[in-house]
Amino acid sequence: MPETSRRGLLFGTAAVSAGAFLTACTSNEPKAADAARSSGAAAGTEPGKHVTIGFAGPQADHGWLNAINENAASRAAKYSDVTLETTEGSNDTAAQIGQVKTLINKKVDVLVVLPADGKALTQVGLEAMRAGIPVVNLDRIFASPQAYRCWVGGDNYGMGLNAGTYIGERLKDKADAKVVELAGIDNLELTRQRSQGFADALKNYPGIELVARQAAEFTVESGQAKTAQLLQAQKRIDALWNHDDDQGVGALRAIQQAGRDEFLMVGGAGSRSAMDAIKADDGVLKATVLYPPTMAASAIDLARALAQGRGVGGLAELEIPTSLTLYSAVVTKENVDQYLPTGFS
C-alpha cells in the first residue's frame, strides 16, 4: 500500500478536482472520471509528439497495487502518441532501483515511479532528473523534492478524517459510543497519518471513545486474526474502522464467525468487494473511504503532458502543478453506484 501522502503540497493548499483540470488528472468525481476514460482526454485530446513513458510500478501482491498497474497500462493505451515501457513490478528496493536505471539508460522521455520505498529510491529519482528525464512520483514520496517534477497520490490523513467524521455523524446521538480501529502496518507513515486523521475527527464527537486498536498487515489472514482479537476483547462496540479493504475481507470473516452484528463497519481504499457489500446492505459494512488507484492513470496523463510540454486544461498556468492530492470520498449505499466502476479486485 502507499507509504505516505504529500498532504498540503497541492496546487495552492487545497485539493484540486479533475473537474478543474478538465481530465488532465483523473477525478474522484465519478462522472468526470467516466468522461475521462471514455474520451482518453488528458492535458489535451489531440495527439502530440510521440513520447515514451517509463513505468516502474509495484509488485501486484495486493488488490490496490494490481489496480495501480492496470490503471497505468489502460490509460497509456488510450493514447496513439504514447509508448509505455513497463518494468516487472517489484517490492525489492535494489531490484527496482536497477529497473529504473534501465529505463534511464533507454532514454525514455519521462518516468512514472511508484517506489517500493520512497526514501531508498530517492537517489535514482535524482539521477533521472539530472539526466533530463522528468519524474512523476506516484504516491510513495521520495525524500527530496529534487527527485521528482510532479507528485500525485492519495490523502492518508484525509482517509482517517473522513472515516472518523462518517462514524461520528452516525453515532453522535448514541450515549457512550465505543469505536475500535483495525489499522494497517504501524511502521508505515501512511498508517500513522490515517490513524491521526481518525483520532482528530473523533475529537469533534465527545461522546465517542476509541476503546481499542489493532495493527494488521494488509492481508486477509492478518485482518481476520486481528479482528478476532478485537471482538474477543470488546464485548460491545458501536463502530469499527478498517484501514484497508483487502484485510477487510478477513475482518468480515471474523465478524461473521463471532456472530457479531451490533455495530457498523467502515472500510478503506475502495475495493469492488467492499462496494458490492455496501450496495447489498446485508451486513455490518456500511461505507468505505477511497484511496483511488486511478491516481496511476492521472500519473500517465501528467507524464504525457510533461513530455509534450503541455499545460493543464482548464487552468491559466503554462506548466503542470508540482503536486496533486486526490480526495478520499466516502462511499455509502446512497452513492455506491457512481463509484462501482472505480472499485478494484
Side-chain angles (χ1 to χ4, degrees), residues 1 35 60 65 95 97-98 105 124 142 144 158 198 208 218 227 229 247 263-264 275 293-294 306 339:
M1 286 292 287
L65 293 174
I97 289 172
N105 291 335
V124 78
F142 293 137
S144 168
F198 189 61
I208 300 175
F218 294 135
T227 302
Q229 292 176 24
Q247 69 184 25
F263 58 90
L264 67 93
M275 292 189 195
T294 50
L306 275 171
Y339 289 98

Side-chain angles (χ1 to χ4, degrees), residues 5 29 46 59 61 88 96 123 145 151 165 180 182 197 220 229 240-241 243 257 261 277 285 297 317-318 323 340:
S5 147
E29 295 298 327
E46 69 283 358
Q59 181 178 335
D61 57 357
E88 182 178 351
Q96 195 177 29
Q123 192 58 43
W151 176 89
T165 299
V180 297
L182 183 66
V220 173
Q229 292 176 24
L240 181 154
W241 181 44
H243 286 206
Q257 289 173 359
D261 62 1
L285 186 59
E317 273 56 45
L318 298 177
S323 185
L340 274 171

Side-chain angles (χ1 to χ4, degrees), residues 5-267:
S5 147
R6 188 66 165 176
R7 191 170 182 273
L9 281 181
L10 310 174
F11 192 83
T13 58
V16 184
S17 78
F21 279 48
L22 294 183
T23 71
C25 296
T26 302
S27 170
N28 283 306
E29 295 298 327
K31 292 181 181 178
D34 289 344
R37 290 190 191 92
S38 63
S39 67
T45 56
E46 69 283 358
K49 72 172 184 178
H50 187 273
V51 299
T52 299
I53 300 173
F55 178 73
Q59 181 178 335
D61 57 357
H62 182 280
W64 186 89
L65 293 174
N66 183 62
I68 283 287
N69 293 339
E70 289 181 347
N71 270 271
S74 62
R75 193 65 164 186
K78 291 185 180 295
Y79 295 117
S80 61
D81 53 13
V82 169
T83 295
L84 189 68
E85 286 272 355
T86 305
T87 66
E88 182 178 351
S90 178
N91 291 333
D92 179 83
T93 297
Q96 195 177 29
I97 289 172
Q99 291 167 353
V100 175
K101 284 180 176 288
T102 297
L103 292 172
I104 294 171
N105 291 335
K106 287 184 176 181
K107 302 186 187 304
V108 297
D109 296 298
V110 61
L111 275 167
V112 175
V113 182
L114 196 161
D117 182 314
K119 183 177 181 181
L121 266 81
T122 298
Q123 192 58 43
V124 78
L126 288 166
E127 182 179 332
M129 291 288 287
R130 289 166 182 163
I133 301 174
V135 177
V136 177
N137 182 192
L138 181 56
D139 202 51
R140 299 174 184 171
I141 196 162
F142 293 137
S144 168
Q146 296 183 60
Y148 60 89
R149 166 59 180 82
C150 176
W151 176 89
V152 56
D155 186 355
N156 286 294
Y157 180 89
M159 279 186 75
L161 188 70
N162 291 347
T165 299
Y166 174 82
I167 288 173
E169 288 299 307
R170 290 288 297 267
L171 300 180
K172 64 183 179 181
D173 296 325
K174 186 177 182 65
D176 190 30
K178 300 181 183 301
V179 176
V180 297
E181 180 181 2
L182 183 66
I185 301 172
D186 264 344
N187 64 0
L188 296 181
E189 179 64 18
L190 75 92
T191 300
R192 292 190 285 270
Q193 290 175 342
R194 292 179 186 183
S195 289
Q196 186 62 59
F198 189 61
D200 287 350
L202 293 185
K203 290 176 184 176
N204 296 319
Y205 304 93
I208 300 175
E209 180 184 5
L210 179 63
V211 295
R213 181 184 183 277
Q214 285 279 0
E217 299 172 358
F218 294 135
T219 68
V220 173
E221 295 76 16
S222 63
Q224 184 170 351
K226 296 299 184 179
T227 302
Q229 292 176 24
L230 283 170
L231 296 176
Q232 186 174 17
Q234 304 296 323
K235 299 308 178 185
R236 179 184 71 84
I237 60 176
D238 298 294
L240 181 154
W241 181 44
N242 162 52
H243 286 206
D244 174 69
D245 285 334
D246 270 24
Q247 69 184 25
V249 173
L252 288 170
R253 287 179 187 170
I255 291 165
Q256 185 177 30
Q257 289 173 359
R260 301 281 292 272
D261 62 1
E262 80 277 10
F263 58 90
L264 67 93
M265 175 176 167
V266 176

